[in-house]
Amino acid sequence: MALMITDECINCDVCEPECPNEAIFLGPEIYQIDPHKCTECVGHFDEPQCVQVCPVACIPKHPGFAEDRETLMQKYLRLTSPSSAPRP
Ligand code: SF4
Ligand code: SF4
């Protein structure tokens, strides 16, 4: 599962720098998570870092992105492989 940010977000800015996948960004109104980049922190940390720091607990699992741990690990490997880096 990727995670998602609900409209209870208060734009406190603390989660964005904590994301190891740079999946969190400020949308038109509130912060958002790119589900294609979120691995639930699998590969980086034991717990989702954004959930740990969010003061209003507004980051549930994304119902549209059901992924088991193995799939999340594959996503992590894909995101961190050299071939996925932007070309100069
Ligand atoms: Fe980023 Fe981890 Fe939160 Fe996903 S769970 S958005 S990878 S900090
Ligand atoms: Fe919004 Fe929570 Fe992130 Fe703060 S930590 S910007 S309230 S999602």
Side-chain angles (χ1 to χ4, degrees), residues 1-5 15-24 32-35 37-42 44-45 47-53 59 79:
M1 295 262 194
L3 303 187
M4 60 178 284
I5 294 172
C15 60
E16 191 264 335
E18 297 298 326
C19 180
N21 293 324
E22 297 183 357
I24 302 175
Q32 299 177 4
I33 292 174
D34 180 345
K37 289 186 176 177
C38 174
T39 63
E40 281 190 49
C41 286
V42 166
H44 293 283
F45 300 101
E47 299 287 336
Q49 297 299 290
C50 54
V51 175
Q52 300 277 307
V53 299
I59 314 180
L79 287 169

Side-chain angles (χ1 to χ4, degrees), residues 5 9-15 31 50 53-56 58-59:
I5 294 172
C9 171
I10 56 170
N11 288 343
C12 73
D13 307 325
V14 302
C15 60
Y31 276 88
C50 54
V53 299
C54 181
V56 295
C58 68
I59 314 180

Side-chain angles (χ1 to χ4, degrees), residues 50-72:
C50 54
V51 175
Q52 300 277 307
V53 299
C54 181
V56 295
C58 68
I59 314 180
K61 289 181 187 294
H62 194 311
F65 282 79
E67 300 162 306
D68 61 18
R69 195 174 176 84
E70 178 61 25
T71 310
L72 291 169

